[in-house]
Amino acid sequence: MAKRIEAVNVSAYYGAFRAIDNISMTIEPKSVTALIGPSGCGKSTFLRSINRMHEVLPGAKVEGQLLIDGQNIYDRDIDVTAVRRTIGMVFQRPNPFPTMSIYDNVVAGLRLNGVRKKSLLDAACEKALRGANLWNEVKDRLNRPGAGLSGGQQQRLCIARAIAVEPQVVLMDEPCSALDPISTLAIEDLIAELKNEYTIVIVTHNMQQAARVSDRTGFFSIDKTGEPGRLIEYDDTAKIFTNPSVKRTEDYITGRFG
Amino acid sequence: MSQQSLTTTPASPSGAGGGGALPRGSRFGAERAFRILATAAGSTVLVIIVAIAAFLIAKAIPSLRADSENFLTFKDWFANESPPTFGIAALAFGTVVTSALALIMAVPVALGIALCLTHYAHRRVASTLGFFIDLLAAVPSVVFGLWGRDYFRGPVSDLSTFLHDNFGWIPIFGSKGPYGASILLGSIVLAIMVLPIVTSLSREVFLQTPKHNEEAALALGATRWEMIRTAVLPYGKPGIIAAVMLGLGRALGETIALALTLGAVYNVSFDLLGISGNTIAANIALKFAEANPTGRSALIASGLVLFAITLVVNVTARAIVYRRREFLGGAA
């Protein structure tokens, strides 16, 4: 259920602007990897290049190799929709489909894959909502609009929608930045459970969060505005937060910079 | 800043911030004036609608009293005779059928163009194409009418022959000819006229789709078309309905183009190919000049019916949008 991600010299561009430069890192299966760093350092761009969502923006492109269990997702004959089904994503702002019920939101990905049988959809819906710790709160109102839930519930709904298609990897782009502390805690508990089945990569601005939820942490930074973001240090979370090898990492996590 | 300097800062003389009594609000200030202006502008709409309805009803009553046939079911229009005999059946039927056909032809094409402009075409191509669409909307309807009558009739006659030869077993294509000023010609011309309105409005609607919903669909592994089906179309539904309704409004009220392209025949028939068809607005344009007082009053009565049809159509559309409001996420 979980796959290893290897980035080899990944650079990403917005038009002519190079947003990240030569990122190489290996992300182990069934682990939580946090990407931290100041705003504009390219951590979200890198995250979006892992499931080929970066190229959705006009003029954006990616260079280098990104291997999922040894297979380069940027190979020419790769089906990009299959990549995104294998590597799910949760966004910064909860974004359930506003026109759909809770149920329809959860099974949207399965329906896109051609699953039509009611019994299969029902089972997958319950499994995903239980997996996202949302089942008990919404089981009696599955046909209500998804947009009517609270922010934290909406974000868990989005997580349920992402895991309903049983991806190998779940990418999270600052999933708690729009949520209150209690909802944040619920999501963090969920991340700890999800890592038993999925490879998780999470971008966060919150260093305590990175320290709490992740096994390994990558620190991204830029030299100055207009320069591409680089991976400064990548190591076990405990080491990054207690004894980083690079001075810049230490400056950042102790608050002297960024 | 120390406590000392805070206490010694003098209160600003204007009373904005700082100490001193709060300034009094002006009872007749700009805020109040603007509210009155805005309310007045808003109520103008209601006043105009009520005034039009009252005018139509008042002017229609004399002829409806004089009509010696049933106004709602009689098909022919001899309002200048004495006794006058006229009825709305054929005209109302023709109005609804030509408009419906025009929409059936125009809406899928318009939505296709709008989706192409917003989600497929390169930005520069899209803005050029959008410009031409808007230009099409600016062509006066009499030009469409003359073009339809003088040039487009030939191709449509050929199309009619083709449809009859191959699909003649379908009653709507049953006519053996002669072909020419038919419901088919009128509704195709009308479709071309409605197309730019529906296109520009639905283009605006599709541009409103939140990017984060489109990304959500793509991240689930949707192709572009699946993304449009999952995120763009459902979100834009109220807007699309509104666009179609405005298109229908134009179609129902279109006068001169249909006066020039339809057969001006008072009949109720689903035959699309033969010389046939008339609408309320086209009939008013054709008959008004030669009408006597009763005839004019009768034409106004037909206008009242058109007004009512438009009202029913709009209320229905509103009801459709309202019924799904919980799922429209602020788009309604």
Side-chain angles (χ1 to χ4, degrees):
Chain A
M1 278 305 287
K3 295 203 174 186
R4 171 181 285 106
I5 305 166
E6 274 178 273
V8 184
N9 297 328
V10 172
S11 299
Y13 298 80
Y14 294 96
F17 171 67
R18 188 198 296 224
I20 53 172
D21 182 35
N22 268 323
I23 309 284
S24 295
M25 67 192 296
T26 302
I27 293 164
E28 294 300 326
K30 296 196 180 183
S31 69
V32 178
T33 302
L35 306 179
I36 60 169
S39 295
C41 69
K43 54 196 188 304
S44 286
T45 305
F46 177 68
L47 189 80
R48 289 169 63 95
S49 60
I50 299 178
N51 68 342
R52 295 192 62 171
M53 281 299 287
H54 175 65
E55 67 203 48
V56 168
L57 304 167
K61 68 171 197 288
V62 175
E63 282 172 2
Q65 288 190 315
L66 226 149
L67 310 170
I68 304 291
D69 273 5
Q71 192 178 27
N72 182 12
I73 61 164
Y74 283 97
D75 269 348
R76 197 164 298 167
D77 56 347
I78 290 281
D79 175 6
V80 59
T81 61
V83 169
R84 293 185 191 140
R85 273 171 218 167
T86 316
I87 308 172
M89 189 161 203
V90 177
F91 293 83
Q92 183 172 356
R93 253 178 80 191
N95 58 356
F97 297 119
T99 55
M100 291 187 194
S101 66
I102 294 170
Y103 181 93
D104 289 337
N105 261 290
V106 177
V107 301
L110 291 165
R111 289 214 170 110
L112 287 172
N113 286 340
V115 180
R116 288 281 173 275
K117 213 170 152 192
K118 183 94 171 53
S119 58
L120 287 177
L121 293 176
D122 286 350
C125 177
E126 180 172 348
K127 187 177 173 209
L129 283 171
R130 282 189 191 282
N133 286 340
L134 191 59
W135 175 252
N136 287 329
E137 290 158 67
V138 301
K139 64 183 175 201
D140 301 322
R141 44 173 175 155
L142 291 175
N143 59 350
R144 305 291 301 155
L149 298 173
S150 76
Q153 289 173 325
Q154 285 189 29
Q155 194 61 302
R156 278 180 283 150
L157 177 62
C158 293
I159 294 175
R161 181 175 66 186
I163 61 177
V165 291
E166 309 204 323
Q168 313 283 333
V169 179
V170 178
L171 307 176
M172 299 186 174
D173 190 358
E174 299 184 43
C176 302
S177 66
L179 305 183
D180 65 86
I182 292 171
S183 307
T184 300
L185 192 66
I187 304 268
E188 287 182 9
D189 289 346
L190 176 58
I191 291 171
E193 287 170 31
L194 290 175
K195 97 173 173 181
N196 297 324
E197 282 189 73
Y198 305 98
T199 306
I200 292 174
V201 187
I202 175 172
V203 164
T204 177
H205 264 123
N206 180 333
M207 280 181 279
Q208 286 79 17
Q209 181 171 64
R212 282 194 298 263
V213 301
S214 71
D215 303 304
R216 286 170 72 80
T217 298
F219 170 61
F220 283 65
S221 194
I222 43 174
D223 294 333
K224 61 175 196 286
T225 310
E227 296 284 311
R230 291 196 175 83
L231 180 62
I232 306 297
E233 186 173 355
Y234 177 46
D235 212 327
D236 287 340
T237 299
K239 181 150 190 310
I240 292 270
F241 283 98
T242 54
N243 184 24
S245 342
V246 184
K247 177 80 167 52
R248 280 175 76 177
T249 314
E250 192 181 339
D251 287 350
Y252 183 73
I253 60 165
T254 54
R256 270 196 287 270
F257 158 71
Chain B
M1 198 178 266
S2 72
Q3 189 67 34
Q4 185 68 28
S5 72
L6 264 177
T7 49
T8 54
T9 306
S12 107
S14 72
L22 290 168
R24 293 186 169 277
S26 153
R27 285 187 71 174
F28 299 101
E31 178 67 25
R32 193 183 168 87
F34 185 73
R35 195 179 68 197
I36 292 168
L37 265 177
T39 314
S43 20
T44 314
V45 178
L46 278 179
V47 172
I48 292 174
I49 290 282
V50 171
I52 291 177
F55 166 81
L56 289 175
I57 292 169
K59 292 283 182 181
I61 285 173
S63 68
L64 292 178
R65 286 231 173 105
D67 193 359
S68 48
E69 290 287 344
N70 184 332
F71 177 69
L72 293 178
T73 55
F74 191 64
K75 293 178 201 161
D76 256 319
W77 197 269
F78 301 113
N80 291 341
E81 315 285 315
S82 54
T85 55
F86 57 92
I88 199 72
L91 294 175
F93 174 83
T95 305
V96 172
V97 166
T98 39
S99 300
L101 278 175
L103 284 182
I104 289 170
M105 289 184 272
V107 168
V109 180
L111 295 183
I113 298 174
L115 282 177
C116 167
L117 293 178
T118 53
H119 287 87
Y120 286 93
H122 189 272
R123 208 173 293 175
R124 199 168 305 154
V125 179
S127 62
T128 317
L129 207 57
F131 172 74
F132 281 110
I133 295 284
D134 292 340
L135 206 63
L136 198 60
V139 176
S141 59
V142 65
V143 174
F144 278 110
L146 289 171
W147 170 78
R149 190 188 68 172
D150 293 346
Y151 292 94
F152 201 46
R153 184 139 69 158
V156 170
S157 295
D158 296 344
L159 175 67
S160 302
T161 312
F162 169 82
L163 287 172
H164 177 70
D165 290 350
N166 292 282
F167 305 100
W169 48 273
I170 307 175
I172 55 172
F173 301 136
S175 168
K176 296 190 176 65
Y179 305 127
S182 61
I183 293 181
L184 185 66
L185 176 64
S187 52
I188 293 178
V189 170
L190 199 52
I192 298 171
M193 297 171 65
V194 167
L195 186 73
I197 299 175
V198 182
T199 306
S200 343
L201 289 171
S202 40
R203 179 183 54 186
E204 294 308 314
V205 170
F206 293 147
L207 285 174
Q208 306 266 316
T209 316
K211 282 282 165 289
H212 62 104
N213 283 333
E214 297 187 8
E215 291 200 332
L218 289 174
L220 285 173
T223 61
R224 199 175 287 225
W225 165 238
E226 287 168 338
M227 178 271 279
I228 286 169
R229 241 180 31 202
T230 319
V232 179
L233 292 180
Y235 186 83
K237 200 163 146 199
I240 296 169
I241 292 174
V244 171
M245 283 308 130
L246 282 170
L248 184 57
R250 169 149 199 198
L252 288 171
E254 179 46 46
T255 308
I256 200 69
L258 289 175
L260 290 167
T261 51
L262 287 178
V265 177
Y266 300 89
N267 60 349
V268 174
S269 152
F270 281 101
D271 165 32
L272 304 187
L273 306 182
I275 292 181
S276 165
N278 206 347
T279 70
I280 294 173
N283 185 58
I284 293 175
L286 292 171
K287 297 279 182 178
F288 203 80
E290 61 184 50
N292 62 20
T294 316
R296 285 191 187 192
S297 170
L299 290 172
I300 288 171
S302 74
L304 185 62
V305 173
L306 183 56
F307 189 73
I309 292 175
T310 320
L311 202 67
V312 168
V313 163
N314 275 308
V315 169
T316 313
R318 281 274 145 204
I320 294 171
V321 174
Y322 185 77
R323 205 160 46 85
R324 295 273 301 165
R325 68 197 177 284
E326 283 181 318
F327 284 90
L328 295 172

mmCIF file of all heavy atoms in Angstrom, chain B residues 17 21 28 60 76 109 139 155 157 170 177 185 203 259 292 315 318 321 325 327:
data_model
loop_
_atom_site.group_PDB
_atom_site.id
_atom_site.type_symbol
_atom_site.label_atom_id
_atom_site.label_comp_id
_atom_site.label_asym_id
_atom_site.label_seq_id
_atom_site.Cartn_x
_atom_site.Cartn_y
_atom_site.Cartn_z
ATOM 1 N N GLY B 17 -10.231 59.414 16.774
ATOM 2 C CA GLY B 17 -9.344 58.722 17.682
ATOM 3 C C GLY B 17 -9.041 59.608 18.867
ATOM 4 O O GLY B 17 -9.652 60.656 19.059
ATOM 5 N N ALA B 21 -15.085 63.750 23.427
ATOM 6 C CA ALA B 21 -16.373 63.112 23.184
ATOM 7 C C ALA B 21 -16.398 62.561 21.770
ATOM 8 O O ALA B 21 -15.727 63.057 20.875
ATOM 9 C CB ALA B 21 -17.489 64.127 23.367
ATOM 10 N N PHE B 28 -28.333 63.414 8.049
ATOM 11 C CA PHE B 28 -28.590 63.460 6.604
ATOM 12 C C PHE B 28 -27.281 63.401 5.825
ATOM 13 O O PHE B 28 -27.064 64.141 4.894
ATOM 14 C CB PHE B 28 -29.385 64.723 6.255
ATOM 15 C CG PHE B 28 -30.718 64.747 6.953
ATOM 16 C CD1 PHE B 28 -30.914 65.503 8.099
ATOM 17 C CD2 PHE B 28 -31.757 63.953 6.473
ATOM 18 C CE1 PHE B 28 -32.131 65.485 8.748
ATOM 19 C CE2 PHE B 28 -32.970 63.936 7.125
ATOM 20 C CZ PHE B 28 -33.168 64.702 8.269
ATOM 21 N N ALA B 60 -55.561 45.735 -23.552
ATOM 22 C CA ALA B 60 -55.983 44.479 -24.170
ATOM 23 C C ALA B 60 -57.471 44.206 -23.977
ATOM 24 O O ALA B 60 -58.110 43.574 -24.814
ATOM 25 C CB ALA B 60 -55.155 43.324 -23.606
ATOM 26 N N ASP B 76 -56.465 31.609 -35.848
ATOM 27 C CA ASP B 76 -56.290 32.643 -36.867
ATOM 28 C C ASP B 76 -56.315 34.049 -36.281
ATOM 29 O O ASP B 76 -56.588 34.246 -35.097
ATOM 30 C CB ASP B 76 -57.364 32.503 -37.950
ATOM 31 C CG ASP B 76 -56.756 31.870 -39.194
ATOM 32 O OD1 ASP B 76 -55.619 32.250 -39.527
ATOM 33 O OD2 ASP B 76 -57.406 30.994 -39.793
ATOM 34 N N VAL B 109 -23.821 24.107 -28.351
ATOM 35 C CA VAL B 109 -22.697 24.744 -29.057
ATOM 36 C C VAL B 109 -22.104 25.855 -28.196
ATOM 37 O O VAL B 109 -20.887 25.976 -28.046
ATOM 38 C CB VAL B 109 -23.167 25.300 -30.422
ATOM 39 C CG1 VAL B 109 -22.007 25.966 -31.147
ATOM 40 C CG2 VAL B 109 -23.749 24.186 -31.270
ATOM 41 N N VAL B 139 -24.368 42.382 -33.932
ATOM 42 C CA VAL B 139 -25.008 42.491 -35.242
ATOM 43 C C VAL B 139 -26.507 42.725 -35.049
ATOM 44 O O VAL B 139 -27.153 41.994 -34.310
ATOM 45 C CB VAL B 139 -24.777 41.201 -36.068
ATOM 46 C CG1 VAL B 139 -25.526 41.268 -37.388
ATOM 47 C CG2 VAL B 139 -23.303 40.975 -36.295
ATOM 48 N N PRO B 155 -29.522 27.105 -48.640
ATOM 49 C CA PRO B 155 -28.934 25.964 -47.926
ATOM 50 C C PRO B 155 -29.934 25.250 -47.026
ATOM 51 O O PRO B 155 -29.912 24.020 -46.948
ATOM 52 C CB PRO B 155 -27.819 26.613 -47.088
ATOM 53 C CG PRO B 155 -27.507 27.897 -47.754
ATOM 54 C CD PRO B 155 -28.721 28.330 -48.496
ATOM 55 N N SER B 157 -33.144 25.034 -47.475
ATOM 56 C CA SER B 157 -34.029 24.246 -48.336
ATOM 57 C C SER B 157 -33.358 22.936 -48.718
ATOM 58 O O SER B 157 -33.983 21.866 -48.695
ATOM 59 C CB SER B 157 -34.387 25.028 -49.602
ATOM 60 O OG SER B 157 -35.137 26.165 -49.256
ATOM 61 N N ILE B 170 -39.952 10.441 -39.704
ATOM 62 C CA ILE B 170 -40.205 11.200 -38.474
ATOM 63 C C ILE B 170 -41.175 12.332 -38.829
ATOM 64 O O ILE B 170 -40.918 13.090 -39.769
ATOM 65 C CB ILE B 170 -38.906 11.795 -37.902
ATOM 66 C CG1 ILE B 170 -37.845 10.701 -37.723
ATOM 67 C CG2 ILE B 170 -39.171 12.505 -36.592
ATOM 68 C CD1 ILE B 170 -36.488 11.223 -37.284
ATOM 69 N N GLY B 177 -42.575 19.582 -49.158
ATOM 70 C CA GLY B 177 -42.199 20.858 -49.758
ATOM 71 C C GLY B 177 -43.429 21.590 -50.253
ATOM 72 O O GLY B 177 -44.544 21.086 -50.057
ATOM 73 N N LEU B 185 -35.820 27.192 -40.701
ATOM 74 C CA LEU B 185 -35.020 28.368 -41.053
ATOM 75 C C LEU B 185 -35.043 29.394 -39.915
ATOM 76 O O LEU B 185 -33.991 29.871 -39.471
ATOM 77 C CB LEU B 185 -35.550 28.990 -42.350
ATOM 78 C CG LEU B 185 -34.868 30.292 -42.789
ATOM 79 C CD1 LEU B 185 -33.410 30.062 -43.123
ATOM 80 C CD2 LEU B 185 -35.587 30.913 -43.984
ATOM 81 N N ARG B 203 -19.311 31.663 -20.423
ATOM 82 C CA ARG B 203 -17.861 31.814 -20.283
ATOM 83 C C ARG B 203 -17.535 32.483 -18.952
ATOM 84 O O ARG B 203 -16.672 32.024 -18.197
ATOM 85 C CB ARG B 203 -17.306 32.646 -21.432
ATOM 86 C CG ARG B 203 -15.807 32.869 -21.356
ATOM 87 C CD ARG B 203 -15.316 33.763 -22.468
ATOM 88 N NE ARG B 203 -16.048 35.032 -22.504
ATOM 89 C CZ ARG B 203 -15.907 35.953 -23.440
ATOM 90 N NH1 ARG B 203 -15.077 35.750 -24.439
ATOM 91 N NH2 ARG B 203 -16.584 37.071 -23.402
ATOM 92 N N ALA B 259 -39.870 37.748 -38.301
ATOM 93 C CA ALA B 259 -40.856 38.252 -39.256
ATOM 94 C C ALA B 259 -40.352 38.051 -40.675
ATOM 95 O O ALA B 259 -41.130 37.841 -41.613
ATOM 96 C CB ALA B 259 -41.128 39.731 -38.992
ATOM 97 N N ASN B 292 -56.440 48.464 -37.170
ATOM 98 C CA ASN B 292 -57.383 49.472 -36.672
ATOM 99 C C ASN B 292 -57.365 49.431 -35.145
ATOM 100 O O ASN B 292 -56.663 48.607 -34.563
ATOM 101 C CB ASN B 292 -58.768 49.219 -37.273
ATOM 102 C CG ASN B 292 -59.316 47.859 -36.858
ATOM 103 O OD1 ASN B 292 -58.857 47.282 -35.872
ATOM 104 N ND2 ASN B 292 -60.278 47.350 -37.611
ATOM 105 N N VAL B 315 -39.788 32.283 -13.646
ATOM 106 C CA VAL B 315 -40.120 31.747 -12.334
ATOM 107 C C VAL B 315 -39.689 30.287 -12.250
ATOM 108 O O VAL B 315 -39.128 29.845 -11.243
ATOM 109 C CB VAL B 315 -41.632 31.909 -12.053
ATOM 110 C CG1 VAL B 315 -42.038 31.109 -10.826
ATOM 111 C CG2 VAL B 315 -41.968 33.375 -11.859
ATOM 112 N N ARG B 318 -35.945 30.135 -11.755
ATOM 113 C CA ARG B 318 -35.625 30.492 -10.363
ATOM 114 C C ARG B 318 -35.896 29.319 -9.440
ATOM 115 O O ARG B 318 -35.122 29.024 -8.535
ATOM 116 C CB ARG B 318 -36.502 31.667 -9.912
ATOM 117 C CG ARG B 318 -36.041 32.990 -10.409
ATOM 118 C CD ARG B 318 -35.006 33.583 -9.486
ATOM 119 N NE ARG B 318 -34.047 34.309 -10.287
ATOM 120 C CZ ARG B 318 -32.806 34.554 -9.919
ATOM 121 N NH1 ARG B 318 -32.357 34.140 -8.757
ATOM 122 N NH2 ARG B 318 -32.008 35.209 -10.674
ATOM 123 N N VAL B 321 -33.221 26.676 -9.601
ATOM 124 C CA VAL B 321 -32.012 27.094 -8.895
ATOM 125 C C VAL B 321 -32.237 27.039 -7.387
ATOM 126 O O VAL B 321 -31.399 26.563 -6.631
ATOM 127 C CB VAL B 321 -31.602 28.519 -9.333
ATOM 128 C CG1 VAL B 321 -30.440 29.013 -8.502
ATOM 129 C CG2 VAL B 321 -31.239 28.524 -10.806
ATOM 130 N N ARG B 325 -30.390 25.005 -3.695
ATOM 131 C CA ARG B 325 -29.534 26.088 -3.198
ATOM 132 C C ARG B 325 -28.494 25.622 -2.199
ATOM 133 O O ARG B 325 -27.382 26.138 -2.164
ATOM 134 C CB ARG B 325 -30.388 27.204 -2.606
ATOM 135 C CG ARG B 325 -31.111 26.831 -1.324
ATOM 136 C CD ARG B 325 -32.225 27.806 -1.035
ATOM 137 N NE ARG B 325 -32.987 27.443 0.133
ATOM 138 C CZ ARG B 325 -33.881 26.475 0.156
ATOM 139 N NH1 ARG B 325 -34.112 25.761 -0.922
ATOM 140 N NH2 ARG B 325 -34.540 26.180 1.248
ATOM 141 N N PHE B 327 -26.708 23.124 -2.181
ATOM 142 C CA PHE B 327 -25.563 22.484 -2.805
ATOM 143 C C PHE B 327 -24.813 23.431 -3.731
ATOM 144 O O PHE B 327 -23.956 23.018 -4.470
ATOM 145 C CB PHE B 327 -26.012 21.250 -3.591
ATOM 146 C CG PHE B 327 -26.327 20.085 -2.708
ATOM 147 C CD1 PHE B 327 -27.600 19.906 -2.219
ATOM 148 C CD2 PHE B 327 -25.343 19.186 -2.350
ATOM 149 C CE1 PHE B 327 -27.888 18.833 -1.400
ATOM 150 C CE2 PHE B 327 -25.627 18.114 -1.524
ATOM 151 C CZ PHE B 327 -26.905 17.939 -1.045
#
